[in-house]
Amino acid sequence: GAVVSQHPSWVICKSGTSVKIECRSLDFQATTMFWYRQFPKQSLMLMATSNEGSKATYEQGVEKDKFLINHASLTLSTLTVTSAHPEDSSFYICSAQTGVTNEKLFFGSGTQLSVL
Amino acid sequence: GESVGLHLPTLSVQEGDNSIINCAYSNSASDYFIWYKQESGKGPQFIIDIRSNMDKRQGQRVTVLLNKTVKHLSLQIAATQPGDSAVYFCAEIPDSSYKLIFGSGTRLLVRP
């Protein structure tokens, strides 16, 4: 299957700093990528949909100025958590869409963010 | 978020037994469903999918059953192995949306 690489796999940062997470489709072009957030023992919550060359679409309740998404190429989307606080500590997961529908989705390995 | 689970139910099975994991989905208009397996600290891994025009689909050691009448989905794992221990999520795609909506998840523990 297609490979989605997510980096870093874990990061620890101080409160108030910004953290960038990268999501790359390694062997295919992804016009659409999705960013999810997952708290311990909970399900994945869709944060935003990232479309190449256009602004991301955020889910209700997700602050666009807090979670900056950039999808500058067909193989790379980045999520920047700005001015991170301890409550932003979570597991962040991206997925990339290969087909014209959501059916061909491949997930990255996730990034565990811990904000001190 | 559209689907949040506050507590993960746990299913404990003996190695070699069959496992049945259940999921209730929310949108009667959803026409595509997927089961994912997630191991600790990793992203979800595709297991099997099913369209709404089917009520059963079989893969290798896994079977998915869909009951649209009661909006219920199940995943059956035959001859459960220790490597099957993980959290399992069902996900749906509403007919009018491209978004993937995850269910609350079930933790499967396989006893040796």
Side-chain angles (χ1 to χ4, degrees), chain A residues 38 42-43 45 59 102-103 108, chain B residues 5 38 51 98-100 103:
Chain A
Q38 184 178 32
Q42 293 191 23
S43 188
M45 292 172 52
E59 294 300 299
N102 214 7
E103 301 171 7
Chain B
Q38 186 181 29
R51 291 199 171 277
Y98 57 84
K99 293 183 249 183
L100 195 61

Side-chain angles (χ1 to χ4, degrees), chain A residues 32 34 36 38 40-46 49 57 59-60 91 93 97 101-105 107-110, chain B residues 1-8 32 34 36 38 41-44 51 89 93 98-100 102-104 107:
Chain A
T32 304
F34 301 88
Y36 296 83
Q38 184 178 32
K41 298 184 179 181
Q42 293 191 23
S43 188
L44 286 76
M45 292 172 52
L46 181 65
T49 303
T57 303
E59 294 300 299
Q60 188 174 7
F91 193 56
I93 307 170
Q97 181 179 320
T101 69
N102 214 7
E103 301 171 7
K104 300 299 181 185
L105 266 185
F107 284 85
S109 54
Chain B
E2 297 191 46
S3 180
V4 177
L6 297 179
H7 301 284
L8 281 176
Y32 184 63
I34 309 170
Y36 286 96
Q38 186 181 29
K42 296 183 179 180
R51 291 199 171 277
F89 293 98
I93 298 178
Y98 57 84
K99 293 183 249 183
L100 195 61
F102 282 84
S104 56
R107 181 178 301 280

